[in-house]
Amino acid sequence: MHAEGGPLFEFDIQGTEGAARAGRLTLPHGEVQTPVFMPVGTQATVKTLTPEEVDGLGAQIILGNTYHLYLRPGHEAVRQMGGLHRFQNWHRPILTDSGGFQVFSLSDINVIEEEGVTFQSHIDGSRHLFTPERVMGIERALGADIIMAFDQCPPGQSSRELATEAYQRTLRWLERCRKRFVELPDEDPDGPLQTLFPIVQGGVYPDLRKESARATLQAGDWHGIAIGGLSVGEPKPTMYAMIEALQPELPERLPRYLMGVGYPDDLLEAIGRGIDMFDCVAPTRNGRNGAVWIAGEGQVNIKQRRFFTDPGPLDPDCGCYTCRTYTRAYLRHLFVAGEGLSMRLLSIHNLHFLVGLANAAREHILAGDFTSWSRAWLERFHAGKAARDGRE
């Protein structure tokens, strides 16, 4: 499958409403209409779902994780099998992260040096080194349409000193990533067509965020830009403030990717501040733990007693397979009984919910009423949660 309708890696803005944008990103494996939520397929699978199911719920692009795929089955094995698209039978676009977040968050031991990060595998304790150059080679072997630069991702609400150190090292690593990214096609001329997105860091400090964005934009001619290091423990208003601080610094021509963000309220709040692309493990992780999103109720746990003999659909406003087919009572039974089917059905709903929310946001941006629609949607979502909390 090849993209049609425009030059590869180009981003066209098709409508705006306030800071919110509706766009089209053209990639080697197809077009992506934005705003877009990207399901996370950490280990070459969106957990518990088949690629056909992910496609059927409307996903346009999914993620793969460089850290996990490097450790298992190994990037060279994926390359030998034709890259991630063939390996997992997904024929739409794929984005791979650099593994930077996982190196810093999952490893019990990691040593950060200018050369790179030496880390201990969470699987078997073996030690490995990720450098910017090596990560570029791994991501080329995986073969995604969009690959991410290797960055230093500090913990949420890090000190100003650590946030400064991380964003400055991320910039130095970015230059090494860019150089290696440019070299690799000459060494591997039959390899995949890819574009490299840089990552803006800076913690919870607006001035550092702006400095990082300006220096990042000067470091290369990019086809998109990512915002990292948010949704890692800081209060939501702080995250929104960081996006607002960056918004005037980011060129309109580039798609903006807010990494690791995917709760419904965060999605709409960020779209209203000019973000185009999102990913998060929350839909499937929550589904595996019985937590679901319902438009008029907020986040709900399916094992609540009130669902014991509830004959209604999970979400009356949802048209996903789960909501069309099964009752709340049955879904509760499956989850309480420990049946694996419950994880699949709840994950299908949560993913459909977020993918559909991003699509609805796009429609309202194009219609010119996104601000009023999103405000009403958020009020209903939060009011439903508050009312339910008051009853329980």
Side-chain angles (χ1 to χ4, degrees):
M1 178 178 180
H2 296 283
E4 298 179 357
L8 283 183
F9 308 119
E10 289 300 308
F11 180 64
D12 302 313
I13 295 178
Q14 298 169 311
T16 61
E17 202 266 5
R21 301 122 58 85
R24 176 182 61 194
L25 176 60
T26 307
L27 298 171
H29 288 84
E31 291 183 352
V32 175
Q33 308 292 322
T34 65
V36 64
F37 177 77
M38 304 180 284
V40 177
T42 302
Q43 302 190 86
T45 175
V46 177
K47 289 190 186 299
T48 76
L49 274 64
T50 68
E52 292 78 11
E53 287 170 326
V54 176
D55 181 72
L57 57 83
Q60 304 175 67
I61 175 173
I62 62 173
L63 267 70
N65 182 265
T66 294
Y67 167 89
H68 288 282
L69 292 167
Y70 161 78
L71 290 176
R72 190 170 50 190
H75 56 289
E76 289 300 340
V78 175
R79 187 206 300 268
Q80 186 174 334
M81 297 304 297
L84 275 180
H85 291 91
R86 289 185 182 177
F87 186 52
Q88 66 185 104
N89 194 36
W90 175 261
H91 305 294
R92 295 184 182 275
I94 297 176
L95 181 152
T96 46
D97 62 17
S98 69
F101 176 78
Q102 287 73 26
V103 163
F104 293 106
S105 64
L106 287 184
S107 179
D108 291 332
I109 299 174
N110 59 59
V111 179
I112 307 167
E113 299 174 310
E114 194 61 27
E115 174 64 13
V117 182
T118 301
F119 63 93
Q120 188 175 37
S121 165
H122 73 286
I123 299 171
D124 60 10
S126 58
R127 297 179 70 82
H128 306 266
L129 174 65
F130 268 11
T131 67
E133 294 81 6
R134 190 171 195 203
V135 167
M136 290 298 93
I138 295 168
E139 290 195 80
R140 183 164 183 83
L142 296 176
D145 301 67
I146 300 172
I147 69 173
M148 303 306 300
F150 189 52
D151 63 324
Q152 180 176 343
C153 184
Q157 302 194 77
S158 295
S159 68
R160 184 179 181 86
E161 179 181 16
L162 180 55
T164 301
E165 174 188 309
Y167 105 71
Q168 291 179 345
R169 178 171 283 125
T170 292
L171 285 170
R172 295 192 296 273
W173 283 354
L174 176 61
E175 176 53 32
R176 290 165 58 187
C177 285
R178 188 197 64 79
K179 181 175 183 293
R180 187 62 182 146
F181 176 76
V182 171
E183 294 171 348
L184 280 168
D186 291 334
E187 301 174 14
D188 177 27
D190 296 325
L193 296 172
Q194 299 179 304
T195 191
L196 173 66
F197 279 18
I199 302 173
V200 173
Q201 289 290 351
V204 295
Y205 305 95
D207 58 325
L208 297 186
R209 287 281 173 181
K210 292 177 182 179
E211 289 174 15
S212 177
R214 291 166 188 162
T216 297
L217 290 166
Q218 292 173 0
D221 184 18
W222 314 111
H223 290 112
I225 191 164
I227 302 169
L230 292 178
S231 192
V232 288
E234 78 284 355
K236 289 191 177 192
T238 301
M239 177 173 68
Y240 304 152
M242 294 307 100
I243 300 170
E244 289 177 5
L246 282 171
Q247 200 260 335
E249 304 293 334
L250 304 179
E252 288 192 1
R253 65 180 179 82
L254 298 183
R256 303 160 183 171
Y257 167 28
L258 183 58
M259 304 183 74
V261 173
Y263 278 77
D265 50 347
D266 294 339
L267 201 76
L268 290 188
E269 293 282 5
I271 290 171
R273 291 167 170 82
I275 299 298
D276 307 294
M277 303 170 67
F278 304 84
D279 81 283
C280 193
V281 298
T284 48
R285 178 178 290 169
N286 284 7
R288 296 194 305 277
N289 288 284
V292 292
W293 295 309
I294 299 175
E297 298 188 43
Q299 183 167 303
V300 171
N301 196 307
I302 193 63
K303 65 183 177 184
Q304 291 174 345
R305 180 71 183 179
R306 66 190 175 100
F307 296 137
F308 184 55
T309 55
D310 190 332
L314 183 59
D315 184 345
D317 295 338
C318 180
C320 77
Y321 169 75
T322 301
C323 292
R324 293 195 319 267
T325 313
Y326 301 103
T327 66
R328 291 178 169 190
Y330 181 65
L331 294 169
R332 180 189 184 277
H333 159 69
L334 290 177
F335 187 79
V336 171
E339 290 292 337
L341 179 59
S342 68
M343 299 180 185
R344 284 175 33 78
L345 295 176
L346 299 182
S347 294
I348 285 171
H349 167 75
N350 282 345
L351 285 168
H352 184 275
F353 190 96
L354 279 189
V355 168
L357 187 60
N359 290 343
R362 173 184 172 83
E363 293 173 5
H364 285 281
I365 293 167
L366 293 173
D369 65 353
F370 171 80
T371 300
S372 59
W373 168 79
S374 63
R375 186 181 300 119
W377 195 98
L378 287 166
E379 286 177 358
R380 183 183 176 217
F381 186 75
H382 290 308
K385 180 181 184 301
R388 193 188 70 254
D389 290 345
R391 293 192 303 267
E392 294 171 357

